[in-house]
Amino acid sequence: MSGEGMGMALEIVGQSVPRSDGQEKVAGQARYMDAIDLPGMLVGRVLRSTVPHGRLRRVDAEKARRVPGVVTVVTGESLRRDGRLNPYYGPALLDQPVLAIDKVLYVGDPVAAVAAVDEESALEALDLIEVEYEELPAVFEPLDAIAPGAPLLHEGELKPGGLFVDLTDVHPVPGTNICNHYVMKKGDGEAGFRHADIVIEQTFSIPETQHYPLEPHSVLAWVDPSGRIALYANTQQPFIVRAQLADIFQVPPSHIRIMVPYLGGAYGAKCYPKAEPIATVLAWFARRPVKLTFTREEVFLTITKHATVVKMKSGAMRDGTLVARKVECYLGTGAYAEIGPRVSKKMGTNGAGPYRIPHVQMDAYCIIYTNKPPAGAFRGYGLPQVTWAFEQQMDTLARELRIDPVEIRLKNLFVDGDTFWYGERLNALGLRECLLKAAAAIRWGEPSQALPGKRRGKGLAIMLKTLTHGASIAFVKVDDDGTAKVLTSTVEMGQGSDTVLAQIAAEELGLPVERVSMAHPDTDFTPFDDKTSGSRSTVAMGKAVLLAAREARERLLELAAEQLEASVHDLEVRRGQVRVRGTDRALDVAQVVRAHFRSKGGTIMGRGEFHTKLAREEFWFAAAGAAEVEVDPETGEVRVLKYVGACDVGKAINPHLCQQQVLGGAVMGLGQTFSEEMVYDHGQLLNPSLINYKLPAFRDLPAQLEVILLETPYSEGPFGAKGVGESAVPPVAAAIGNALVDAIGVRLYELPITAEKVLKALEEAGGAGPVGAGGAR
């Protein structure tokens, strides 16, 4: 099975088999955090800061401790006095206290935590904690935070966090609010701009938005009599959270066990520690199980998508050839770095777009502390922000040079064999095909008739993203009843990973997919996986599962060869039987296992490991989006008539699940484009619920929402597969922004796109402009 499964007849891979978790979920039998309790369990609650920036002059919890039913109250000072604990954590920098120590840095910063026998007692105790603040000047926007004289949020030396052994991969600037500055250069940018026939400079901005998974953050933690710590947690990264907790409690990672049930959505919001440190600290002091579940408002105050300002300058020749691009990204990371330095690096790596440009300069000043909630991983990992910028600038160049927007992209696109900015050879891109298919699907260049008084326009955008690196390990065990169990630490959070990984294992083992089951992550029993994020599970864990299943299959064939008195090379495993090719001689897999162990018992094991950095070639996500919009120039209303998402999936292991991922990404992108924005007043969040934080509803969706799956096999992927979870999101906003220009001749630079902004832009432009290349009428 050379080429990782490609080139052979497939029976299970490539089929839209039903979700393996579907029946228990629709029947209400699936186990989420809300359903998990333990005897003697306490309720945890958190007291949060009411000021955006201030010194803690006094935190008095004595009255709270005397409330009947309260078992423990913990403050930052409690943690500092306890010599057993390290009260600071963070995946990139150790800048975040479990509970505030000396200062609070945003409205919502955790100040104290309570564990009580019931919620009423816990809330009463919170009300009795007395906090005295000395308010300090605050700063809320990234550009203001780096201006001369801006208040400094973190005054001491910043130390590398749990994911970095030193500061070589994260670069804080001492004495400033910049906690990471990523720089990437190629060629001579200034010389390139001097040589260009046209130079365009624009500034784009994107606000903070919420991931808004249906299920909030929730943790159930306890300490057993031996002092060992255990948790149920709805995290995307059990091993990373385990490592961070081990640093806090100063114990070996094996001293901590994390079990993960089904997740009710995540989108990056449940990467890295969130509720886990506070819940575990409460359990540590109470010596009883503590369950901490955040309210929806607390979820808003826990993690966001980075607010970003992108300054972009591009130079091109009259024929549309790009010669130079300079990009400056300013990311507001909120009060703590979280994983912002890696988001900034990903944004910086991909910020110039998927184009051949001889002279490039990227400055991602990126991670800038502000007095707002922390920002971190969000579906697309920085690509939605920079794609909004570079794809609108490509259309601006096309309009100025009177070149069709599709043609200017085709002229400059990376193609297989090109070298990316940091020297990696590009292969199996599928980007050109995504662009052409998406354009064709909206009948690019053909006129479309608008209703009287309305204007129509078409627009498109593309993106290319590198894979998120990390190691994945899988075990596959075949039992004596002919079933297989796949053990991984990949987290099923609605994306369908359990189904896809079971299909990969079943195909390689030659078993019906119904005979393959998946284990939930448990750091005591399931092997290491770096993370369930970055659209890496199908590629990285899928490859590990393929290799583990292959090892188990090869062992089955060895055993069956003895029992059937045949050569291993003459055997095949199909539909649960080991068969001698061309004969009717066969044994069930169960018979092979039992015969070997001479009993009703026994297990055949396989192990697989895949590390993306050790792959023979890099892996790339490619996608395109195309939109047709209708605009009412009198009201400013923008309506998307049709949206097309075209994504290169390498090989669709389960086509239906791939389609649903692209559809979900497109809908998320529509919300980010038109309505989603976290609104603040001097650091106070004004819209922390669905009452006034507007997610897209069914009535907001286009009448036509089309998915195109392209398959350009990736040689290292299982059966050629790539990931797909993130790639549909980044093109949406830019495609719609470009369609808006095509319809009415004005461009918006700030998300979200609202009727008020459209009307203001039309007023400043003196009315709707001429039609564009996409077919506006």
Side-chain angles (χ1 to χ4, degrees), residues 574-634:
R574 293 187 64 193
R575 300 173 188 173
Q577 289 190 323
V578 183
R579 182 176 298 276
V580 181
R581 291 189 184 91
T583 75
D584 59 359
R585 295 163 57 205
L587 291 171
D588 288 338
V589 168
Q591 291 177 292
V592 175
V593 178
R594 288 174 179 173
H596 173 68
F597 288 99
R598 301 179 188 276
S599 68
K600 287 188 176 182
T603 299
I604 304 299
M605 290 291 296
R607 181 187 183 278
E609 178 179 340
F610 183 66
H611 197 303
T612 52
K613 283 191 174 181
L614 303 180
R616 292 188 299 271
E617 64 181 27
E618 187 71 83
F619 156 60
W620 309 86
F621 301 99
E628 182 176 7
V629 305
E630 186 171 76
V631 185
D632 185 337
E634 296 299 318

Side-chain angles (χ1 to χ4, degrees), residues 203-245:
T203 299
F204 303 87
S205 63
I206 302 94
E208 292 98 341
T209 56
Q210 242 298 305
H211 308 70
Y212 217 105
L214 185 62
E215 178 194 37
H217 302 90
S218 185
V219 180
L220 172 54
W222 68 97
V223 181
D224 70 20
S226 72
R228 192 162 189 257
I229 297 167
L231 300 85
Y232 284 104
N234 57 4
T235 174
Q236 296 175 242
Q237 301 171 325
F239 279 92
I240 287 177
V241 171
R242 184 181 75 157
Q244 292 263 275
L245 290 176

Side-chain angles (χ1 to χ4, degrees), residues 479-681:
D479 288 322
D480 68 301
D481 59 357
T483 63
K485 188 84 167 183
V486 180
L487 285 80
T488 79
S489 291
T490 295
V491 176
E492 175 57 73
M493 50 194 179
Q495 81 278 39
S497 59
D498 277 4
T499 305
V500 166
L501 296 177
Q503 286 182 259
I504 292 170
E507 187 71 63
E508 186 68 18
L509 289 169
L511 292 177
V513 71
E514 298 81 11
R515 291 200 199 173
V516 179
S517 61
M518 301 293 300
H520 282 295
D522 180 337
T523 56
D524 269 10
F525 299 104
T526 56
F528 176 82
D529 185 27
D530 191 69
K531 59 181 77 73
T532 305
S533 65
S535 305
R536 63 181 299 279
S537 294
T538 297
V539 177
M541 185 56 77
K543 177 67 172 292
V545 168
L546 177 74
L547 295 174
R550 181 173 300 167
E551 185 173 288
R553 180 177 61 89
E554 290 172 351
R555 180 58 176 154
L556 280 171
L557 292 175
E558 290 174 3
L559 300 178
E562 298 176 8
Q563 297 164 21
L564 291 168
E565 298 180 345
S567 168
V568 168
H569 304 293
D570 294 331
L571 300 181
E572 62 179 359
V573 190
R574 293 187 64 193
R575 300 173 188 173
Q577 289 190 323
V578 183
R579 182 176 298 276
V580 181
R581 291 189 184 91
T583 75
D584 59 359
R585 295 163 57 205
L587 291 171
D588 288 338
V589 168
Q591 291 177 292
V592 175
V593 178
R594 288 174 179 173
H596 173 68
F597 288 99
R598 301 179 188 276
S599 68
K600 287 188 176 182
T603 299
I604 304 299
M605 290 291 296
R607 181 187 183 278
E609 178 179 340
F610 183 66
H611 197 303
T612 52
K613 283 191 174 181
L614 303 180
R616 292 188 299 271
E617 64 181 27
E618 187 71 83
F619 156 60
W620 309 86
F621 301 99
E628 182 176 7
V629 305
E630 186 171 76
V631 185
D632 185 337
E634 296 299 318
T635 66
E637 179 187 11
V638 181
R639 190 162 62 96
V640 181
L641 304 175
K642 182 175 184 178
Y643 184 81
V644 179
C647 297
D648 182 6
V649 300
K651 171 65 180 178
I653 303 293
N654 187 308
H656 178 70
L657 291 180
C658 289
Q659 290 167 357
Q660 295 304 301
Q661 283 289 298
V662 178
L663 285 172
V667 172
M668 176 173 274
L670 288 166
Q672 303 279 311
T673 302
F674 286 112
S675 62
E676 294 187 52
E677 178 181 14
M678 294 174 68
V679 181
Y680 297 87
D681 181 8

Side-chain angles (χ1 to χ4, degrees), residues 95-174:
D95 60 355
Q96 185 164 2
V98 177
L99 296 166
I101 296 175
D102 297 329
K103 287 176 68 174
V104 292
L105 297 180
Y106 71 99
V107 175
D109 210 352
V111 174
V114 172
V117 295
D118 54 41
E119 185 171 6
E120 291 75 14
S121 302
L123 293 176
E124 181 182 351
L126 290 186
D127 287 340
L128 293 173
I129 298 175
E130 299 174 5
V131 183
E132 183 181 329
Y133 302 99
E134 177 193 339
E135 288 202 53
L136 299 171
V139 63
F140 304 108
E141 303 304 326
L143 293 181
D144 294 337
I146 58 174
L152 189 63
L153 273 67
H154 293 269
E155 299 164 358
E157 180 185 359
L158 294 173
K159 298 179 181 180
L163 299 185
F164 304 104
V165 296
D166 54 38
L167 291 178
T168 58
D169 204 26
V170 56
H171 308 283
V173 180

